[in-house]
Amino acid sequence: MIGYVLRRILQAVIVLILVTFVVFLLVHLIPGGEAREVLGPRASAASIAQFNRINGLNLPIWEQYWQLLDGYLHFRFGYSFKLNEPVGSVIANRLPKTLVLVGLATLLAIIVAIPLGVYQGARRNKPSDHVLSLFSLFAYSMPSFYIGPILILYFAIDLHWFSYEAPQGQTVGSILADPRALFLPVLTLSLISIAAFSRFMRSSMMDQLNEDYVRTALAKGASKRRLLYGHALRNALLPIITMVGLSLPQIVGGAFITESVFNFPGMGLLGIDAIFQDDVPTLVGTVVVATVATVAGSLIADVLYSLLDPRIRYS
Amino acid sequence: MSTTGEPTAAPPASVAETAEVQPQPRPSAAVSAADRNDAPSPGFWRQFARALFGNKFALAGLAIVIFMVLLCFVGPLIYHTNQTNAQLALTSNVPTNAAPSAAHLLGTDASSYDELGRLMYAGQSDLEVALAAALVATFVGVVWGAVAGFAGGIIDTVMMRIVDAVLAVPALLLLIVISDLYRPSKPFLILLIGFVAWLVPARLVRAETLSLRTREYVQAVKAFGGSNWRAVFRHIIPNAFGTIVVNATFQVADSILFLAALGYVGLGIQPPGTDWGTMLSTAVSDGAVVNNYWWLVWPPGLAIVLVAVSFNLVGDALRDGLDVRFQQR
C-alpha cells in the first residue's frame, strides 16, 4: 500500500515538473519577452537590459527555471505588472472560492448522476433510458457559455428565482452565505459532469448486472430490488471515485469558462481577465496552481480508490 | 474492469467477427492482396452500416451532420453575403442588428454582417478544424497506443506514464495559455487541439493492442518472419478499427466544444475568419442578450450544440453496434 502511494506521489511530482517546464518554456519563447511586454514597444535596449537584470531574465535558461520552481515551492508566483500585485496574493484570495465552486459542482453532479445512472442501468434500452440518454447527451454537448446566459435570462432576469451574478463576497464564508447567487454557477458547471457521471454510472451498473454473482443471486431467488440495490449498486459505486478523479481536469477547465460567464471572483475569472489584459505572469500562475490542484485531486482519488479496492494496487 | 485501462476479458465483437471471416493466419508474402483485405473486413463494414442505419438516433445525428456540412459549404454558393469586409457597417447601407427579414434571413449582427451567411462562414472553420483535429488526435493516439501496447515492458510503462501525466492536466487551460501566447493560425490550431486530445485514443488502442498481440494471427506474423512494424500496422491497428472509429467520432464532438470554448475567450479563429464560439461571444459582449437580439444568440449556440450532439449520437450508436468497450463514456 505504502509502495503504491509513494509511486503515485512520485508520478504526480514528475507530472508537475513537466507541466511547469512546458509552461515556462512557452512563456520564455514569447517574441520580445516579458521586458517588452511590460516596458512597451518603444523601450530602449538599455532599459530592457536593466529590466532583465533586475528580474533575473539574463540568467541561463535552466537557472531561470530553477528560480521559478524555487519560487513556486515558496508560494512566490511572480509579480503582475497589470494588477500591480504579487500573483501569489491574488491567487491566495481567489483559490478557495474556486475550490468551493468546483467542490459544490462535483458534489451536485454525484448526487444527481448516481440515481440517474442506476435508474438507466436498471431500465436499459427502455424509452425512459433513451430519453435520459438524450438529455445527458445534450447536457454534455452544451457549452457553459451558452447554457449560462440562457439560465440567467430565464431563472434570474425573468423569474427572479436566482441572482444573475455570482456572489461577489471577499471571503469563502460570504460566498457560501448567498446560495441564491451561488446556485446558477454551480448548476452550470455541474451539468457536463452530471451527463458524464450518469453515463458512466449507467455502464458501470450494466457491467455489474452482467456479472456471475448477479446471476447466482437471481438463481437463489433474490428479488429484483435486492439484486439492484443490494448487489449491483454496491459494486458499481466504487469506480465512481476513479471517474471523479479522471474528470477533475475537465471540471477545472469548465470552471474557468463558467466563472467568466457568471463573474464569479475565482481563479478562472482571474485567468480569463489575464488573457484579455495580456497579463502573462497572472495567467501562468493561475494555470500552474489550477494544474497542481487538479493533479492533487486525482492523486487523492487514486489513493482513496486503492484503499477501498485493494485489487487495484497489484494491477 | 473497464476503468483501469487494462484489456477487457471479452474481445470486442468486431474482432471476433474478423477472426471468423479469416480463421487462418496467412503467410504475408504469398497473399499480400488478401492480407490488405484484412484491414476493416466486409464483416466490419456490414456491422458498421447496421449500427449506423439501424439506430434512429444515429440516423438523426447523421442527417444533422450532413445538413450542417451542406449548409456551410454549399450554402454560401447559393446565399451570397459579404463576410470579409470589416467596414461593412460604414460603407454599406445594411443596418446593424437588424431583425430577420426577407433580405437577411437571420438578420444582421453589430457589424452588419448577414447572420446566416456568417453562420455558414464560421461553420466552415468549425467543421474543418474539428474534423482535422480529430484526425490528428486519432492518428497520434493510435500510433502511440499501438506502439506502447505492442512493445510492452519499459517502453510501454514510460509511454503510458506520459499519457497519464498529460491527462492530469486540464486540457482547456493548456489550450488557452498556448493560444494566448501565440495566437495560432488555423492549421496550428488544428495541431493544438489534436495534441490535447490524442490521449484517450492512445489509452484505448493500447488496451486493445494488449489483448490483440497475443492472438494467433499476430503471433503467426512474427513466426513467419514478419516485422513488428507489420504486425502493428497491418494486423493490430486494423483489428482495433472499431474502437478507433468510435473514438474518432467522439473526438470530433470534443474538438467542436474545445474550439467553441477558445472562441468564447477570444482565442478562436482570428479575424477576418470567425467560428461559432467567437460569434456567440461577440454577440454577448455587443449586448445581444440584454437587447434581446435572439437571432444573434440562439443560432451560433444551437449550431455548436447540434453538431456536438450529432457526432455523439453517431458515436454512441457505433459503440453499441460494434460493441466497443469504453472507459469513460
Side-chain angles (χ1 to χ4, degrees), chain A residues 249-269:
Chain A
Q250 203 188 16
I251 302 177
V252 170
F256 266 59
I257 305 288
T258 307
E259 286 188 5
S260 90
V261 170
F262 288 92
N263 199 24
F264 187 97
M267 298 278 286
L269 191 61

Side-chain angles (χ1 to χ4, degrees), chain A residues 208-222 227:
Chain A
Q208 292 302 327
L209 287 173
N210 282 335
E211 293 282 338
D212 289 342
Y213 70 85
V214 170
R215 199 176 43 203
T216 309
L218 191 68
K220 286 167 76 179
L227 216 63

Side-chain angles (χ1 to χ4, degrees), chain A residues 98-217:
Chain A
T98 295
L99 289 180
V100 166
L101 178 67
V102 167
L104 285 179
T106 310
L107 201 65
L108 179 67
I110 293 174
I111 293 172
V112 176
I114 289 182
L116 263 184
V118 170
Y119 178 80
Q120 283 185 271
R123 298 184 57 84
R124 71 185 122 167
N125 295 330
K126 300 242 170 69
S128 55
D129 175 33
H130 285 310
V131 170
L132 285 174
S133 287
L134 205 59
F135 165 80
S136 65
L137 255 187
F138 268 93
Y140 186 84
S141 310
M142 193 91 75
S144 48
F145 53 87
Y146 186 45
I147 189 76
I150 293 176
L151 290 177
I152 293 176
L153 262 183
Y154 291 104
F155 291 110
I157 294 176
D158 286 352
L159 293 171
H160 296 291
W161 287 2
F162 303 107
S163 172
Y164 57 86
E165 198 180 39
Q168 298 297 314
Q170 276 300 307
T171 61
V172 171
S174 66
I175 281 180
L176 282 171
D178 195 358
R180 258 187 89 234
L182 198 55
F183 184 75
L184 284 184
V186 170
L187 178 69
T188 305
L189 182 56
S190 68
L191 271 182
I192 288 179
S193 307
I194 289 178
F197 290 6
S198 70
R199 282 157 74 88
F200 183 92
M201 195 64 209
R202 172 179 179 265
S203 66
S204 175
M205 198 67 188
M206 276 161 49
D207 282 353
Q208 292 302 327
L209 287 173
N210 282 335
E211 293 282 338
D212 289 342
Y213 70 85
V214 170
R215 199 176 43 203
T216 309

Side-chain angles (χ1 to χ4, degrees), chain B residues 9-307:
Chain B
S14 62
V15 173
E17 188 155 306
T18 318
E20 217 169 90
V21 176
Q22 291 201 320
Q24 298 292 317
R26 299 168 193 232
S28 48
V31 258
S32 62
D35 192 15
R36 198 159 298 137
N37 197 19
D38 86 352
S41 67
F44 173 84
W45 288 113
R46 210 174 306 132
Q47 216 181 356
F48 183 86
R50 205 183 304 138
L52 202 53
F53 296 113
N55 183 316
K56 275 179 231 139
F57 291 118
L59 272 182
L62 195 64
I64 295 173
V65 169
I66 293 174
F67 171 76
M68 291 306 276
V69 170
L70 288 178
L71 178 77
C72 295
F73 288 95
V74 181
L77 303 178
I78 302 160
Y79 188 80
H80 301 283
T81 55
N82 186 341
Q83 296 296 339
T84 45
N85 183 356
Q87 307 266 297
L88 202 59
L90 303 173
T91 57
S92 71
N93 52 4
V94 182
T96 57
N97 295 322
S101 64
H104 302 284
L105 292 179
L106 273 178
T108 60
D109 70 6
S111 309
S112 288
Y113 290 126
D114 180 281
E115 181 73 0
L116 180 60
R118 198 139 189 87
L119 213 56
M120 299 169 177
Y121 182 59
Q124 293 181 359
S125 299
D126 264 285
L127 292 171
E128 281 166 17
V129 170
L131 287 174
L135 279 181
V136 170
T138 305
F139 179 77
V140 177
V142 165
V143 172
W144 190 278
V147 169
F150 192 79
I154 184 82
I155 299 177
D156 178 38
T157 310
V158 170
M159 287 176 86
M160 292 326 283
R161 283 300 85 79
I162 292 176
V163 170
D164 290 345
V166 190
L167 262 180
V169 179
L172 188 59
L173 301 193
L174 217 52
L175 264 182
I176 287 178
V177 172
I178 300 176
S179 313
D180 182 43
L181 296 180
Y182 296 100
R183 298 292 150 118
S185 59
K186 199 193 275 185
F188 195 61
L189 207 54
I190 291 170
L191 288 181
L192 266 186
I193 297 181
F195 273 100
V196 298
W198 62 279
L199 306 155
V200 176
R203 271 194 164 184
L204 294 170
V205 170
R206 174 198 174 246
E208 282 279 274
T209 307
L210 282 182
S211 79
L212 288 176
R213 70 169 181 188
T214 54
R215 296 289 163 81
E216 289 90 343
Y217 59 84
V218 176
Q219 298 294 322
V221 174
K222 294 167 91 176
F224 281 118
S227 63
N228 286 344
W229 202 247
R230 185 180 187 85
V232 169
F233 285 93
R234 297 298 281 279
H235 297 274
I236 289 183
I237 290 180
N239 277 301
F241 207 62
T243 311
I244 296 169
V245 169
V246 173
N247 182 261
T249 318
F250 288 135
Q251 295 286 341
V252 179
D254 286 354
S255 303
I256 287 272
L257 295 173
F258 268 136
L259 182 61
L262 278 182
Y264 175 72
V265 296
L267 302 172
I269 308 281
Q270 298 299 311
T274 187
D275 60 278
W276 291 328
T278 305
M279 282 177 74
L280 189 58
S281 119
T282 320
V284 172
S285 61
D286 286 346
V289 174
V290 187
N291 295 310
N292 204 14
Y293 300 148
W294 54 268
W295 58 93
L296 300 181
V297 179
W298 286 99
L302 271 181
I304 297 168
V305 175
L306 276 182
V307 173

